[in-house]
Amino acid sequence: MPNERHILLLPGSLRAGSTNETVLRTAAAVAAATPGLRTTYYDGLAGLPHFNPDLDTDPLPEPVAALRAAIGAADALLVCTPEYAGTLPGVFKNLLDWTVGGIEISDKPTGWINAAGPGRGQGAEATLRAVLGYTGAAVLDEACVRLPPARGAVGPDGLVADPLVRERIGEVLARLAAG
């Protein structure tokens, strides 16, 4: 498709079936039903080595090269991460650390969906904003939303079934695609 926009979905959790994974998988389903939009779900989080500046040289470790290639191939990034101990999970911070030495994320339109319940998740948002600033990502405030799925909102297919939540996810995707 000539004007197709590609959004890379970056999960911040390793837990299978997490709310964050559910939100991103729902974003993929919403995008699949949207002409001109496609997504890729990044599934290499667990395979990234611990960040070490000594390894941030050519040739990069294969999982890091694959991460940077996935970011480079995308038109925009959508993050959904939990908050652990008031900040980003270490494994997701590690992913972001690996992007600092590359140029792939620079000026890349980036947003996030905070799926945490009321009164939670602000620490992860603040840290995410700060770290993305160091990476050079172009954070689109209009594509950064709080959207916690209600209990029971996940259908038997493992996706958020609530049409209003799906509509809001579609709005975030559209903002990133236009970004």
Side-chain angles (χ1 to χ4, degrees):
M1 185 171 283
N3 293 323
E4 183 176 68
R5 302 293 289 172
H6 175 219
I7 299 174
L8 181 63
L9 307 174
L10 294 171
S13 175
L14 292 175
R15 189 169 65 85
S18 72
T19 301
N20 300 282
E21 178 183 344
T22 297
V23 166
L24 289 179
R25 299 265 185 217
T26 302
V30 169
T34 305
L37 194 57
R38 79 179 168 91
T39 60
T40 300
Y41 186 91
Y42 177 73
D43 62 1
L45 189 62
L48 289 171
H50 294 290
F51 178 73
N52 178 344
D54 293 337
L55 300 177
D56 197 4
T57 61
D58 287 326
L60 288 168
E62 191 282 321
V64 176
L67 167 66
R68 288 188 182 173
I71 291 171
D75 295 305
L77 309 174
L78 178 60
V79 173
C80 193
T81 182
E83 177 179 277
Y84 291 155
T87 191
L88 294 174
V91 68
F92 192 68
K93 173 66 168 63
N94 184 58
L95 177 148
L96 293 174
D97 287 343
W98 278 114
T99 69
V100 173
I103 60 167
E104 299 81 7
I105 202 169
S106 294
D107 300 319
K108 187 82 58 174
T110 303
W112 62 75
I113 296 175
N114 181 340
R120 298 174 46 212
Q122 294 88 339
E125 277 190 39
T127 304
L128 185 58
R129 184 175 296 280
V131 175
L132 287 172
Y134 284 101
T135 69
V139 175
L140 302 180
D141 288 332
E142 63 275 15
C144 299
V145 301
R146 175 175 288 276
L147 193 58
R151 225 185 233 325
V154 178
D157 58 358
L159 303 177
V160 178
D162 182 326
L164 294 176
V165 171
R166 290 174 78 99
E167 181 180 332
R168 292 216 39 222
I169 290 171
E171 292 167 1
V172 169
L173 293 169
R175 290 172 184 148
L176 286 169

